[in-house]
Amino acid sequence: MSRKIFTLLSLIVVGVLMLTACGAPPTQAPPSEPPATQPPAAPPPAEAPAPTQPPPAPTQPQAEKVTITWWHIQVADDQKALWQGMADEYMAAHPNVNIEITVLENEAFKTKLTTVMQSGNPPDIFQSWGGGTMNEYAKAGLLKDITAELDKDGWRDTFSPGALGVYSYNGVNYGVPRDMGMVGFWYNKDLFKKAGIETPPTTWTEFLEDIQKLKSAGITPIALGEGDKWPGAFYWEYLAVRIGGQAAFDAAYSRKGAFTDAPFVEAGTKLQELVALQPFQNGFLGATWPDEQVEMASEKAAMDLMGQWAPGAFKDASVDKKGLGDKLGWFPFPMVEGGAGDPADALGGGNGFVIGKNAPPEAVDFLKYISSVESQIAQAKIGLSVPVVKGAEVGLTDPSLIAVQKGAAAAKYFQLYYDQALPPAVGSVVNDSVQGLFAGTLTPQQAAQAIEDAVAAEMQ
Amino acid sequence: MGIHPASIRTSRGGGAADSARRSDSLLTVILFLLPSLALFLIFVVYPILQSVYYSFFNWKGFGPAVDFVALNNYRRILTDRVFLIALKNGLIIIALSLGIQLPLALGIALMVRRDLPGRAFFRTIFFMPYVFSEVMAAIMWLGLYNADPQRGLINALLVLIPGAKPQAWLGDTRLVMPCIFVVLTWKYFGFYMLLFMTGLQNIPAELEEAARIDGANRRQLFQYITLPLLGSTIRISAYMSVLGSLQQFILVWVMTHGGPVNASEVMATYMYRFGFVRFQLGYGSAVAIVMFLICLIFSLVYQRLAPQADYLGAY
């Protein structure tokens, strides 16, 4: 009897182990999302003939079948549907093209992409933030040079040049942007009113005062998913931008100065002033960006320092999928008294798609297709992108997103997020060190020193 | 379980015919071993050698490794504060596994084997967590540990107690390791319970009966019959538990990424961070080699100390 049970259990174990061996990659999906729906990167279907095989009927001049693999990170239902719709349209117009879409959650995407990049098999089209990480891929020859295609038929001129430049390295273009915006505070107007705050703060002092007001009213002032690290890094980076301005970053980046210079230490000090007020939700150190969305969408927290993708994410995280609607407002990061930075300076970046080295020419054509003005307007309408193609601004109806777009366009100095601007090894150290500042395990000097050490080792 | 070494040894002897037969059978052995040996060399030995090679380079994982740094990576590992935290956390997990998890598994194995009503049911229940995939288990516990009382079950129950405050659990640098250990125990004790149960079945009933007739009480029965006869199972369980603790990765990575601020870092998450987040594959390889050496040394010491019968085919 018990032996039978043992045999049965052993069989179950073997079976489950075999099944789970090809399970979903680790992901921290919020409960509002369908459970772990990352489909594994499917190999090209068996029926698609390999390039070396002769076409089935050589007498008929039929276009050869090609498969394009496309990885994006738009897990929100309406955004995912938009991309799928465009792929379907394109496939209908080009029957020989098969587009295989893999939708991955942000963190899962980064993990999975790194693995395929190190094995030398990039997807044909994939999400990129440009900057330091993309440069590493470009240096390793994993990306396709699309400079010639951009120059053909004036495709290049449809983009705003600043945004396009993020996806080039040493004068070679590897991809195109779809979105460019800046980080700022998204806030719940109702909760601000409840706490007696008439207008959003413009200075750091006012900001800290408003946090006290929100706390007194029993409202969580700020939602933060510091377990993911990058959401909190925005605070330190923005403080460095406000305190040191362009000069401080340029000096440190060119190695004439250092990341241990006064503005960077000061940024840590100011950040810890904020942390001392305990403005974040309980457990923020272990929370993730999806948790952060839920805090905002369920109207528990009043503010969130985040980029242009926040409204779309809040919408998806809310129970009725409508988000905060008119209650959601936006204000730029407050200026720091005595800081060298201009209050209009912006920290931000964007999203885009780059082309993998093995991509067929059709992949570039399809990228062009999804970068059209019409596509950009459709993206803007659902809050997926702050458009970068000229003429697509009309798609923006949300006053906050218009403010973001104008803010980014008006910035005298535009600082790309540090974890994108700097090489990956440094970006990761920035994020880790800032988490130490939030937890109080590092002093501002120690955090600045850790970042400086990484920069010194990586960027001789 | 393969060819018992003793059966080869018995064919040893003098005479030309004997030695011919011996080389013949040796050839057969080699031929039969060849397929698995090839797989072992390709998928185990070769990657290890490759890691050793890369560990001497400052290498980002793309293209060939060119920046030779000799032993610098190893020097950095042994002085890195975070690696030492990871090592310490590994040792804590080992200590708790041996001190709490295994005794718990043994206790439950003894219980479900005898007098508990509905023991088949409990046996299945206790074994269930081990059957779950680790990612599934981790995501489930992430939900339970959620700091928001409206989303996390544990905090939701906690706030019902007057005076109790919701805890940050995985977001608290002091609570995160105990929280993870709870999950580890929940996940793996069922497996050790099963090992102990099979071990207990192999103890002849006559022995216990004889002892009982001689007037041994339950405690004496356990101390002088059960425990000694279960020795090899206990030693093997401890061995697997230590190796499992040293290599723990998935649960920790999915639940905390080794955070907050490295508080739950273990060696494997540390290695992963450098290899796949920071693109420092050379350094990551060096960490992997250090991990490998630690496990290897432990295995060798274990083999030296444990009675041969334990690993030469008792199970």
Side-chain angles (χ1 to χ4, degrees):
Chain A
M1 156 77 183
S2 55
R3 260 177 213 282
K4 254 187 210 156
I5 289 182
F6 179 70
T7 318
L8 192 69
L9 284 177
S10 320
L11 280 175
I12 292 174
V13 174
V14 172
V16 169
L17 284 181
M18 280 163 69
L19 287 175
T20 52
C22 41
T27 164
Q28 306 191 344
S32 61
E33 277 180 17
T37 48
Q38 281 75 42
E47 57 270 22
T52 46
Q53 280 173 345
T59 46
Q60 280 178 340
Q62 209 173 22
E64 208 177 336
K65 276 209 183 289
V66 283
T67 298
I68 299 173
T69 51
W70 180 20
W71 291 17
H72 69 72
I73 58 169
Q74 272 69 49
V75 287
D77 290 335
D78 52 349
Q79 306 180 351
K80 195 163 49 179
L82 176 76
W83 287 141
Q84 186 62 56
M86 293 203 161
D88 291 343
E89 277 169 32
Y90 189 85
M91 284 191 278
H94 304 79
N96 64 318
V97 176
N98 178 30
I99 299 168
E100 276 177 10
I101 300 182
T102 304
V103 189
L104 292 158
E105 193 272 334
N106 191 47
E107 299 300 315
F109 164 78
K110 290 182 196 166
T111 308
K112 192 158 183 167
L113 185 74
T114 311
T115 321
V116 296
M117 289 314 248
Q118 285 177 345
S119 71
N121 288 309
D124 296 332
I125 305 177
F126 59 97
Q127 160 75 29
S128 174
W129 293 270
T133 306
M134 192 205 75
N135 296 351
E136 293 292 337
Y137 295 150
K139 267 191 258 178
L142 291 162
L143 302 179
K144 196 185 183 91
D145 177 355
I146 61 163
T147 316
E149 283 91 338
L150 268 166
D151 287 331
K152 216 163 40 186
D153 305 331
W155 187 25
R156 177 184 297 278
D157 303 324
T158 62
F159 296 101
S160 74
L164 186 63
V166 176
Y167 302 89
S168 70
Y169 174 67
N170 282 345
V172 176
N173 293 86
Y174 296 100
V176 298
R178 67 163 170 79
D179 158 84
M180 191 75 177
M182 64 188 280
V183 173
F185 276 105
W186 298 92
Y187 73 106
N188 186 316
K189 292 176 187 166
D190 279 12
L191 294 180
F192 266 47
K193 219 173 274 166
K194 219 181 268 177
I197 303 166
E198 298 296 327
T199 50
T202 54
T203 67
W204 186 250
T205 316
E206 278 175 35
F207 175 67
L208 295 185
E209 282 166 11
D210 286 348
I211 283 178
Q212 294 288 22
K213 283 185 198 160
L214 285 161
K215 282 203 75 157
S216 318
I219 299 163
T220 304
I222 300 175
L224 179 62
E226 186 52 15
D228 280 347
K229 297 173 187 170
W230 56 265
F234 289 159
Y235 287 85
W236 185 80
E237 291 165 21
Y238 237 131
L239 282 165
V241 168
R242 289 282 181 265
I243 296 166
Q246 182 170 15
F249 185 82
D250 283 354
Y253 188 77
S254 64
R255 308 312 298 141
K256 288 193 191 95
F259 280 96
T260 43
D261 290 347
F264 298 102
V265 178
E266 173 81 7
T269 314
K270 289 269 188 250
L271 176 63
Q272 289 191 328
E273 272 174 25
L274 172 68
V275 175
L277 299 179
Q278 301 188 321
F280 312 110
Q281 85 276 11
N282 186 30
F284 72 96
L285 274 178
T288 59
W289 158 230
D291 293 327
E292 190 175 329
Q293 296 165 21
V294 174
E295 288 293 313
M296 284 300 285
S298 58
E299 301 196 55
K300 284 186 194 147
M303 282 185 270
D304 189 346
L305 182 63
M306 194 46 65
Q308 61 276 20
W309 55 90
F314 296 158
K315 215 185 269 179
D316 195 56
S318 62
V319 180
D320 57 6
K321 301 278 166 192
K322 285 192 182 126
L324 296 167
D326 291 341
K327 287 183 209 164
L328 190 67
W330 185 85
F331 64 91
F333 195 87
M335 60 163 285
V336 176
E337 292 89 341
D342 188 285
D345 289 348
L347 173 79
N351 293 275
F353 290 116
V354 295
I355 302 280
K357 65 166 180 180
N358 300 324
E362 285 82 356
V364 185
D365 190 55
F366 177 63
L367 182 62
K368 200 168 172 177
Y369 182 74
I370 59 172
S371 308
S372 68
V373 181
E374 296 77 32
S375 160
Q376 278 264 284
I377 291 175
Q379 292 167 36
K381 274 193 179 142
I382 59 165
L384 164 60
S385 304
V386 172
V388 288
V389 168
K390 290 162 195 164
E393 302 84 34
V394 292
L396 283 181
T397 48
D398 184 341
S400 323
L401 280 175
I402 294 173
V404 169
Q405 198 251 341
K406 289 205 170 121
K412 287 180 195 150
Y413 168 54
F414 193 90
Q415 170 66 57
L416 195 64
Y417 323 113
Y418 282 22
D419 60 352
Q420 300 303 332
L422 300 166
V426 181
S428 161
V429 173
V430 170
N431 290 352
D432 288 353
S433 306
V434 174
Q435 198 192 33
L437 288 173
F438 273 100
T441 56
L442 292 181
T443 65
Q445 286 82 5
Q446 286 170 331
Q449 188 65 53
I451 294 164
E452 172 60 21
D453 289 348
V455 171
E458 199 67 21
M459 299 166 50
Q460 289 102 350
Chain B
M1 272 299 192
I3 293 166
H4 203 291
S7 64
I8 302 172
R9 225 174 288 143
T10 47
S11 67
R12 188 189 295 157
D18 248 14
S19 99
R21 204 183 313 137
R22 192 176 151 239
S23 70
D24 229 33
S25 73
L26 200 66
L27 194 74
T28 320
V29 168
I30 289 171
L31 268 176
F32 274 103
L33 277 179
L34 215 54
S36 51
L37 187 70
L39 288 177
F40 180 72
L41 288 176
I42 295 169
F43 291 109
V44 179
V45 176
Y46 176 64
I48 290 176
L49 292 178
Q50 226 178 5
S51 285
V52 172
Y53 173 76
Y54 287 135
S55 72
F56 296 122
F57 289 85
N58 183 8
W59 183 53
K60 285 190 176 158
F62 310 117
V66 284
D67 184 6
F68 184 75
V69 293
L71 289 172
N72 264 355
N73 284 334
Y74 291 95
R75 210 167 295 142
R76 217 178 113 200
I77 290 171
L78 298 177
T79 54
D80 190 78
R81 192 183 55 87
V82 179
F83 181 77
L84 297 179
I85 294 176
L87 196 62
K88 190 191 80 190
N89 282 339
L91 295 177
I92 290 175
I93 293 178
I94 290 175
L96 290 176
S97 298
L98 297 181
I100 297 178
Q101 191 174 319
L102 292 188
L104 183 78
L106 180 57
I108 289 179
L110 286 168
M111 239 158 65
V112 296
R113 159 174 103 125
R114 346 187 142 212
D115 18 30
L116 203 71
R119 53 184 190 272
F121 172 73
F122 281 107
R123 237 176 348 215
T124 317
I125 291 284
F126 290 144
F127 189 66
M128 201 83 93
Y130 183 71
V131 179
F132 285 156
S133 100
E134 282 170 310
V135 175
M136 252 161 67
I139 289 177
M140 194 181 95
W141 279 91
L142 263 181
L144 293 174
Y145 277 135
N146 195 302
D148 185 342
Q150 288 178 11
R151 294 172 61 206
L153 180 68
I154 298 177
N155 270 343
L157 295 175
L158 202 61
V159 289
L160 296 179
I161 305 166
K165 272 206 210 139
Q167 295 295 317
W169 305 121
L170 298 174
D172 186 319
T173 46
R174 281 163 304 133
L175 288 180
V176 63
M177 278 312 283
C179 284
I180 285 178
F181 183 71
V182 167
V183 182
L184 285 174
T185 305
W186 172 86
K187 180 85 175 68
Y188 295 113
F189 88 93
F191 172 69
Y192 295 110
M193 178 194 78
L194 200 74
L195 283 187
F196 289 137
M197 273 167 49
T198 38
L200 288 171
Q201 272 171 8
N202 287 341
I203 297 175
E206 307 88 73
L207 267 180
E208 294 190 5
E209 206 182 321
R212 225 176 282 127
I213 290 168
D214 285 347
N217 61 26
R218 276 190 146 197
R219 196 186 58 79
Q220 287 168 322
L221 212 62
F222 177 73
Q223 191 179 345
Y224 297 111
I225 308 277
T226 315
L227 215 49
L229 286 174
L230 211 55
S232 65
T233 314
I234 292 176
R235 282 188 293 272
I236 290 219
S237 300
Y239 174 71
M240 288 170 64
S241 183
V242 170
L243 281 192
S245 305
L246 286 172
Q247 295 169 357
Q248 185 48 242
F249 173 71
I250 301 176
L251 282 173
V252 178
W253 186 258
V254 176
M255 288 203 296
T256 67
H257 285 229
V261 242
N262 309 115
S264 61
E265 204 79 64
V266 291
M267 282 194 289
T269 57
Y270 180 81
M271 171 184 82
Y272 187 87
R273 184 179 320 284
F274 281 93
F276 296 96
V277 179
R278 295 195 177 169
F279 294 179
Q280 297 181 341
L281 237 71
Y283 184 73
S285 299
V287 177
I289 296 301
V290 169
M291 261 178 85
F292 171 71
L293 286 178
I294 291 175
C295 293
L296 184 73
I297 291 169
F298 171 74
S299 296
L300 291 176
V301 169
Y302 173 85
Q303 293 210 348
R304 181 53 63 81
L305 295 182
Q308 271 210 338
D310 273 13
Y311 56 92
L312 277 188
Y315 293 100

